[in-house]
Amino acid sequence: MKRNGKTLIAGLLVAVCATACSSGSEPQSPYVNAAEVCEGVFAGDLEETVETVTGATSFKRRAGDGMDRLIETIEKEYATGRSWSPGGDLCEMAAKGSHSTDETTLRFHIYAPQDVNYPGSAKGERRFSLGKEAVANVRSAGIYFECVSPRLDGSKNRPARIYGGLSEAHDRDDALENLMDNLEIIHSASLAVAEKLECEGDAGLPKKLDRGLRQLPPVSRPAEIDS
């Protein structure tokens, strides 16, 4: 009886070990799809837009703490009282087989007041009424917005000026539809950052981007006055 008990226990241990070993033997894939990239920010109805903007369907797996690190960076840089800060990346959407210079990147920083309505635009860039201002061209897009949050001490009187930018988008033509794709991606990421920061009213960003956004006229550089 004693031997049978020992045999039964030994058999159970072998079974448990076999299950544990088999479940842990499959290595994690080094790649993720569009729904998983950037900590799942685009999961739901933007996966196809991510694939269009990046020109890829499979992406290199990255560490999953980009959002937490970014929020911590913004909080620390806002606390310094500086008018601008270098910020940090939310994520890099690196396509399978891509080089480091080709990675579509989402980055956020505190912007200086004069950055909004800045005279002179990048080639092919258009301005839109979103947040304080939004800009987009065929390879990039950005949104300027302000955040009042209990996580940012003093922001009731001095809202945090935050810029979210997308860079190195897949090179397509400059049709408005393509620019809106780029803007839709950075809008979704900016909304996620605003929610994580607990910005009042989501920093004025809509839950869903209106692809019929009103365009703003380009800002001209002031004429030089001859001395």
Side-chain angles (χ1 to χ4, degrees):
M1 195 75 181
K2 194 172 183 180
R3 172 177 287 184
N4 288 342
K6 289 182 177 179
T7 302
L8 178 60
I9 292 172
L12 289 172
L13 288 173
V14 169
V16 170
C17 179
T19 302
C21 293
S22 62
S23 64
S25 62
E26 296 182 8
Q28 189 179 49
S29 170
Y31 303 105
V32 297
N33 58 30
E36 299 172 282
V37 74
C38 202
E39 301 181 45
V41 167
F42 309 110
D45 57 0
L46 285 181
E47 291 96 328
E48 289 187 10
T49 307
V50 169
E51 293 174 353
T52 298
V53 167
T54 61
T57 58
S58 184
F59 306 86
K60 298 174 185 176
R61 184 181 294 277
R62 299 298 198 202
D65 59 349
M67 177 67 81
D68 290 337
R69 285 187 286 105
L70 174 62
I71 296 302
E72 183 179 356
T73 296
I74 291 175
E75 289 174 337
K76 288 181 177 178
E77 292 182 341
Y78 173 81
T80 67
R82 294 175 59 186
S83 63
W84 67 274
S85 74
D89 292 344
L90 172 60
C91 64
E92 295 172 338
M93 297 186 285
K96 182 179 179 180
S98 66
H99 301 290
S100 59
T101 55
D102 301 325
E103 297 177 351
T104 304
T105 302
L106 299 175
R107 187 175 182 85
F108 290 77
H109 68 263
I110 293 175
Y111 67 86
Q114 62 268 25
D115 290 348
V116 170
N117 296 323
Y118 187 80
S121 301
K123 184 178 179 181
E125 186 175 82
R126 302 192 207 183
R127 300 171 62 239
F128 301 89
S129 178
L130 178 64
K132 304 303 288 186
E133 178 186 55
V135 294
N137 62 25
V138 70
R139 306 250 6 227
S140 66
I143 300 176
Y144 298 86
F145 59 95
E146 291 187 350
C147 174
V148 174
S149 167
R151 300 185 63 158
L152 301 170
D153 187 32
S155 59
K156 278 282 187 185
N157 299 318
R158 182 175 60 91
R161 297 180 304 272
I162 301 174
Y163 171 80
L166 173 146
S167 61
E168 299 301 325
H170 181 58
D171 198 357
R172 297 155 289 153
D173 65 59
D174 61 356
L176 180 60
E177 180 181 0
N178 292 332
L179 273 59
M180 294 308 298
D181 284 340
N182 293 347
L183 198 55
E184 192 164 31
I185 292 301
I186 192 57
H187 164 263
S188 181
S190 296
L191 182 60
V193 168
E195 290 174 346
K196 187 72 173 180
L197 264 177
E198 302 175 29
C199 300
E200 291 183 3
D202 293 331
L205 300 176
K207 290 293 185 183
K208 186 174 179 61
L209 182 71
D210 177 6
R211 294 178 69 96
L213 280 175
R214 178 170 62 91
Q215 291 193 48
L216 302 175
V219 181
S220 303
R221 296 183 184 278
E224 292 185 3
I225 301 175
D226 294 332
S227 56

